[in-house]
Amino acid sequence: METLASSETISVTSPVSLRQLYSFEADGRDRIDKIFQQARNIQPSIEALTAKERIEYVMKIKDYVIANRESLIDRIVAETGKSRFDAFTSEIFEICDVIEIFKKKALGLLKDQKVPTPLVLMGKKSYVIPQPLGVILVITPWNYPLYQTMIPSIFAFLAGNAVVVKPSEVTPLRGVVEEILEKSGFLKDAIQIVYGGKETGSMLIDSRPDKIHFTGSCATGRKIMEHASRYLIPVDLELGGKDASIVFDDVDIDRTANGILWGAFTTTGQSCTSIERLYVHQSIYDKLLNEIVRLTQQLKTVSSEDDLQKTNVDVGAVTASFQLRIIEEHVRDAIEKGAEILCGGKRIEGTQTFMPTVLVNVNHSMKIMTEETFGPVLPIMPFQTEEEVIHWANDSPYGLGGSVWSKDLKRADRVARAMKTGNVSINSHMITEANPHLPFGGVKESGFGRYKGDFGIWTFCNMKSVLVDKQSSMIEAHWYPFSPTKYKLLNTILDSLFVRSKKWLNVLQTAMQLDKIGRKEKY
Ligand code: ADP
């Protein structure tokens, strides 16, 4: 149901000290109407810009982010509780990297795309024009608040759209994106921010954007799709995951243990593509396990707000209190069913920091192996055969990412192909996301649609097909009037053109006869 005013008060708290950082009233219908009006007004001017001009605007954002990186990181770490290093690599560095790659890539993607025209349409030409859709609504989650707000918005803008973006109420970074856009000299009103929770999000959908790009949980993704279906608004859904990482017996233990550690605990395990379950070949299980536990015990965790200033702290706090309850529930469920904690397993009192945790004796009857945990918990299970581990990896409602570790690249490639996911890294984890040329997205309940890669721009475009006949005098064979002779000749074309050994002479002669008939037989 449409709500006229939002009654939500948003309170933003520090995940480390649990003190309130600030609070505000969520945006309601009046502001949303104004924002949408401004977006509709500015959109034709964005469409009128050349691709180069749009790119110039986006470069201003990059320059501002580079120049102000430390103050931006201050805001990110305060609200997310993630480590400073994580904020630098996965938000600041990533934003700059994606913009730099798309500086060139977008030019090619926004050009008319020529496509071949088949022989039966001889003399004509065909192309696809990537055109904007209008106003794009971007709804973002709390785990990468700056990156997830900026990158889809920038892609949508590059495609010529106006953008309305609603950050998560958990980490809204209130005022930060406005500051970047205003102070960098970005085009006014081209990207606008609306603040609030689900009520505000729902009102935004009622404003009938031309497309919705959503990143968040499966449960909310379902609601958004259902709501959007009322107006037939297309949606891209980037949802959750339960990434499996598979380690074969021929790996370098030291490198693999370090890679797994990062894949499981980066951004406090709150990445949709974090390692959520690890399968290790039986023959190296003990060795790798010992190394992972030894390294995990050395990780420095955020335990005070001061730690958010340090660049030698590894793992941050859990950002959302409701997520911490899920993590604790998954660990409790695993223990009750026979799992054993080798390190971590509890939070630091007075904070939302959950100690990096390694669990063994786990199986697929436990939530920790089947539901999204989204925290710094690594359950490890041994396997015997390739067939068995592929079965386990695919035993999940999710299909976002995964990784395979082996020196045998043929085997790694075979397993990567067998995994039912949208992304797989080989001898690394989550590294596909570091290459903006690669598309990102999931299958199964991890959602659909892709962004980054070529789709990064095209997902926000109306890919308009055009076919041109240069006004020849020809009357097409499939036009009226129909006649038995034309029917017979078209059958001859079918028999000559679509058979394995084509009969070109027949095609030519028949086409000429059809042309003659076309000129003679008219109503
Ligand atoms: P998470 O951030 O944990 O993945 P959600 O999936 O619930 O959490 O939320 C992701 C984003 O979706 C947030 O910006 C949130 O405010 C927004 N949201 C939640 N419910 C709705 C809804 N019914 N309609 C529109 N947006 C919503």
Side-chain angles (χ1 to χ4, degrees), residues 208-424:
R208 302 193 181 202
D210 297 290
K211 178 155 190 175
I212 301 172
H213 182 89
F214 172 77
T215 309
S217 63
C218 290
T220 305
R222 268 197 189 92
K223 283 187 205 144
I224 285 179
M225 188 167 163
E226 208 177 297
H227 192 165
S229 74
R230 279 184 227 163
Y231 311 113
L232 290 178
I233 302 171
V235 289
D236 277 344
L237 299 179
E238 300 292 345
L239 308 177
K242 190 73 192 168
D243 275 22
S245 188
I246 300 173
V247 183
F248 285 96
D249 51 0
D250 57 350
V251 295
D252 175 318
I253 297 282
D254 182 39
R255 180 179 187 277
T256 306
N258 277 283
I260 297 288
L261 208 71
W262 180 85
F265 301 135
T266 182
T267 306
T268 322
Q270 302 169 126
S271 191
C272 322
T273 49
S274 299
I275 298 178
E276 288 254 337
R277 46 203 173 111
L278 176 64
Y279 301 96
V280 181
H281 192 266
Q282 182 71 59
S283 65
I284 56 157
Y285 178 76
D286 288 336
K287 218 166 156 194
L288 187 70
L289 181 64
N290 288 341
E291 188 55 8
I292 288 175
V293 171
R294 190 184 71 78
L295 294 172
T296 305
Q297 283 167 333
Q298 291 177 40
L299 290 172
K300 293 184 210 69
T301 48
V302 166
S303 60
S304 70
E305 284 193 55
D306 281 350
D307 286 344
L308 297 173
Q309 295 304 317
K310 299 177 184 160
T311 48
N312 65 343
V313 173
D314 306 301
V315 183
V318 172
T319 304
S321 55
F322 56 82
Q323 198 62 48
L324 184 56
R325 286 195 289 277
I326 293 173
I327 296 166
E328 289 178 335
E329 151 67 10
H330 284 194
V331 172
R332 194 168 35 246
D333 170 75
I335 301 302
E336 275 168 20
K337 292 175 180 157
E340 190 191 338
I341 296 175
L342 295 188
C343 59
K346 55 180 187 301
R347 69 167 99 176
I348 299 177
E349 275 311 308
T351 72
Q352 277 172 205
T353 297
F354 194 80
M355 298 302 287
T357 300
V358 177
L359 282 176
V360 288
N361 296 338
V362 291
N363 60 53
H364 279 220
S365 74
M366 300 171 181
K367 291 180 182 175
I368 204 83
M369 293 301 279
T370 53
E371 294 179 20
E372 190 177 41
T373 308
F374 222 63
V377 181
L378 179 62
I380 311 182
M381 197 171 145
F383 73 89
Q384 308 273 3
T385 66
E386 186 177 315
E387 199 187 5
E388 171 187 61
V389 78
I390 290 171
H391 166 78
W392 277 331
N394 289 336
D395 179 27
S396 169
Y398 294 104
L400 194 52
S403 53
V404 188
W405 305 72
S406 173
K407 278 192 185 129
D408 179 350
L409 294 183
K410 269 205 180 135
R411 168 166 66 183
D413 174 76
R414 195 166 59 231
V415 175
R417 283 168 199 274
M419 289 172 87
K420 292 192 171 68
T421 62
N423 323 274
V424 182

Side-chain angles (χ1 to χ4, degrees), residues 8 137-143 166-170 196-205 214-221 223-224 227 239 320 322-323 372 374:
E8 288 175 293
L137 171 61
V138 178
I139 300 180
T140 71
W142 45 259
N143 53 346
K166 193 200 79 60
S168 163
E169 63 276 34
V170 180
K198 61 176 173 213
E199 221 177 287
T200 305
S202 176
M203 280 189 251
L204 285 164
I205 299 174
F214 172 77
T215 309
S217 63
C218 290
T220 305
K223 283 187 205 144
I224 285 179
H227 192 165
L239 308 177
F322 56 82
Q323 198 62 48
E372 190 177 41
F374 222 63

Side-chain angles (χ1 to χ4, degrees), residues 140-156:
T140 71
W142 45 259
N143 53 346
Y144 295 101
L146 192 62
Y147 176 85
Q148 298 280 21
T149 303
M150 296 306 309
I151 293 303
S153 303
I154 285 172
F155 285 151

Side-chain angles (χ1 to χ4, degrees), residues 27-53:
D27 288 326
R29 173 50 65 201
D30 286 352
R31 178 148 194 274
I32 289 173
D33 283 348
K34 192 170 157 230
I35 293 269
F36 261 84
Q37 196 50 56
Q38 287 170 177
R40 294 270 173 220
N41 291 345
I42 192 74
Q43 194 276 325
S45 332
I46 305 172
E47 185 164 355
L49 295 172
T50 62
K52 263 201 165 134
E53 287 167 330

